[in-house]
Amino acid sequence: MITFLLSIVLLIVGYFTYSKVVERIFGINDENKTPAYTHQDGLDYMPMPWWKGTLIQLLNIAGLGPIYGAIAGALYGPVAFIWIVVGCIFAGAVHDYFSGMLSLRHKGAQFPTLVGRYLGNGIKVVVNIVSIILMVLVAAAFTAGPAHLISSLAPISFSMALVLIFAYFFIAAVLPINRIIGRIYPIFGAILIFMAVSIGGALLFMDNPIPNLTLENLHPGDLPIWPLLMVTISCGAISGFHSTQSPIIARTLKKESEGRKVFYGAMIGEGIIALIWAAAGMTFFNGTVGLQEALAAGGPGEVVNTISISLLGTVGGLLAIIGVIILPITTGDTALRSSRMMLTELLENRFKVSGSKGIILATLPVTLATIYLTTIDYSFLWRYVGASNQIVAAIMLWTATMYLLEKGKFHWICGIPAIFMTGVVTTYIFYAPEGFALAYGTSLAIGATLTLLVTLWYAYKIRTVKPQIDSDAHKVA
C-alpha cells in the first residue's frame, strides 16, 4: 500500500514542480493572441474556460484507456507503478504539453502538420496515414463493446446500437465544439475522476493489501516487461493518441499559461486514474494469477464491472455502466473529430476544398472505415492500437525535440524520452505477434541497433542545427 500511496504523491509533486520546468523551457507569452481568437470560426476555434478544457482533455485522452490498459499492465505486478509514475511525469505529460502548445503556437495545427514542420514532409506523409489509421482503430475498438452492452440492456439489436452510436459520432464530429463536447463532456470527465477516486478509496479498506514495490516480473504468462509493459500501459504513462487530441483543446485556450494546467495537468490526472485501476487489478483478484483468470473469463469490461459493483455496490454498478458505455463512446467521437480535422487540413491544402463540404467529405471516409472495423475481433484491433499508438508518441517527442533544438532551448527534456520510446517501439515491432514475431533476443538486438542509429542522427542534428531566436516567447509572471 505504501508504494501505491507514494506513487500518487509523486505524480502530484511532479505536476507542481516538473511541469513548471517544462513550461519555463518552452517559454510562454500571454501577450500572444491564441488561435481561439485569431481563427475563431464557430466550429473548432472557440474560447473556453481552462477548467472546462482540462476536463474535456482528460476525457478525450482517457476514456477507458487508463482503465483497460492499466488492468492489463497490472499482470506484471507492482513494477507497473514505476512505469506509470516515471513515464507520466517525464514522458507522457511532456509529450502532451508540447503537442498542445506547439499546436497553439502554429495556429491550432494538427499533429501531422507539426511533424512536417520539424521533421520534414517525408515523415509527414507517413504520419498522416499512421495518425488517421490510429484514430479509426481507436474509434472502432471503443465502439463494439458499448454496442454489445447497449443491446443487452435495451430491446435493440447490436446492429441498431452501432447505427445509433455512429449517428452520434457523425453529429458530434461536425457540430461546433461548444454544442455537445463543451457542454456535457466536462460532466463525464468529472464522473471519470469520481469513479477512480471512489475505487481508490475503497481499495484502502480491502482485506487484501495493495502490494508494495517489487522489481520481479509477476506476469503469469512470463511475458517480458521490456517493451511490452510500455505498450500495454500507454494511456496513463505516455500515449501517442494524445497528440492527436491536444489540438482540439489548443484551439480553445484563451492564453498560453493555461497550457500547463490543461495538457500537463490532464495527463497527471490520467496517470492517477491508471495507478488506481492497476492497483485494483492486482489487489481485488488476490494477485496476478487471479487477475489473468478473470480477464480470460470475461475480458476487461467484466473485470471493471466486477470490481465496481463489489467495492461500491449499486453506485458502482451505475458507474461501471457509465464507464463501459459512455467513456469509450466519448473517446471514439473525438478520435473521429481529430481525424476529420486532419483530413480537412489535407483537403484544404491539396484540393482547395473547405467549408461545410470539406467537413462532410473529411468525416464520411473515416466514419465508414470505423464502421467496417467494428466487425473485427476487439483483441486484434487493440494490439494494433498499442503498436501504432506508441510509434506516434515517439514521433511527437522527436518533433518537440527538434523544435527545442531549433529554438536553442534545453532539448534533452524531450530528447531523452524520445530515445527511450524509440527503443520501445523498434523492439516491440520486431518482437510482437502483430509485428515480425522474431525471437526476443533478436528483437532486442535489432531494437538497440535502430535506436543507436536514431541517437546518432540526433547527435548530428545537435551539431548542425543553428538555433533561432524564439520571438514568440518570454516568461510570464
Side-chain angles (χ1 to χ4, degrees), residues 74-403:
L75 290 170
Y76 292 91
V79 68
F81 293 155
I82 298 177
W83 167 235
I84 291 171
V85 172
V86 176
C88 186
I89 294 173
F90 298 104
V94 174
H95 166 283
D96 288 14
Y97 182 81
F98 276 91
S99 64
M101 294 304 291
L102 286 180
S103 174
L104 184 144
R105 280 279 176 86
H106 292 77
K107 303 176 182 179
Q110 289 295 301
F111 168 63
T113 300
L114 298 176
V115 171
R117 167 63 180 80
Y118 293 102
L119 294 182
N121 286 326
I123 300 295
K124 178 183 177 181
V125 172
V126 176
V127 166
N128 255 313
I129 297 171
V130 172
S131 298
I132 293 173
I133 289 174
L134 175 59
M135 296 303 94
V136 172
L137 286 171
V138 168
F142 281 164
T143 300
H148 278 297
L149 186 54
I150 290 172
S151 64
S152 67
L153 296 174
I156 59 175
S157 65
F158 171 73
S159 299
M160 180 57 66
L162 277 180
V163 170
L164 292 175
I165 291 173
F166 278 105
Y168 164 76
F169 276 2
F170 188 84
I171 292 170
V174 301
L175 281 179
I177 192 169
N178 65 335
R179 291 288 179 85
I180 295 178
I181 294 175
R183 289 181 179 177
I184 63 174
Y185 281 28
I187 299 172
F188 293 147
I191 290 174
L192 177 64
I193 295 171
F194 176 77
M195 183 181 183
V197 171
S198 299
I199 294 294
L203 285 176
L204 301 178
F205 298 98
M206 282 188 63
D207 292 333
N208 297 336
I210 301 173
N212 284 317
L213 180 62
T214 173
L215 298 180
E216 183 182 0
N217 183 359
L218 300 180
H219 198 293
D222 198 30
L223 295 177
I225 292 175
W226 174 272
L228 298 188
L229 177 61
M230 291 76 193
V231 176
T232 303
I233 302 181
S234 53
C235 291
I238 177 171
S239 168
F241 175 69
H242 299 185
S243 66
T244 68
Q245 300 301 291
S246 294
I248 295 176
I249 304 302
R251 297 181 178 193
T252 70
L253 294 188
K254 294 181 177 180
K255 53 186 179 180
E256 291 189 355
S257 58
E258 295 175 346
R260 184 173 68 89
K261 292 175 281 191
V262 172
F263 302 120
Y264 200 103
M267 183 62 213
I268 292 295
E270 187 184 56
I272 293 174
I273 292 170
L275 274 174
I276 290 171
W277 281 101
M282 65 183 75
T283 304
F284 184 85
F285 297 98
N286 200 26
T288 58
V289 174
L291 174 60
Q292 186 182 52
E293 293 173 351
L295 287 170
E302 184 58 34
V303 167
V304 171
N305 187 61
T306 300
I307 292 174
S308 300
I309 293 176
S310 300
L311 294 183
L312 303 178
T314 304
V315 173
L318 178 61
L319 290 174
I321 291 175
I322 292 174
V324 177
I325 293 179
I326 296 178
L327 295 182
I329 289 176
T330 57
T331 299
D333 76 339
T334 53
L336 289 185
R337 187 180 186 92
S338 60
S339 62
R340 184 264 294 167
M341 291 162 67
M342 290 179 194
L343 283 174
T344 299
E345 283 189 3
L346 185 62
L347 289 171
E348 287 177 343
N349 295 334
R350 296 288 180 88
F351 305 105
K352 308 303 179 184
V353 177
S354 59
S356 58
K357 181 180 179 181
I359 292 170
I360 294 174
L361 286 176
T363 306
L364 277 175
V366 292
T367 302
L368 294 174
T370 305
I371 291 173
Y372 169 73
L373 287 176
T374 56
T375 62
I376 297 176
D377 178 61
Y378 172 85
S379 60
F380 174 84
L381 285 176
W382 193 246
R383 289 202 305 270
Y384 283 93
V385 168
S388 57
N389 190 34
Q390 298 306 61
I391 291 172
V392 170
I395 293 173
M396 181 62 236
L397 284 171
W398 282 120
T399 300
T401 302
M402 290 302 107
Y403 165 80

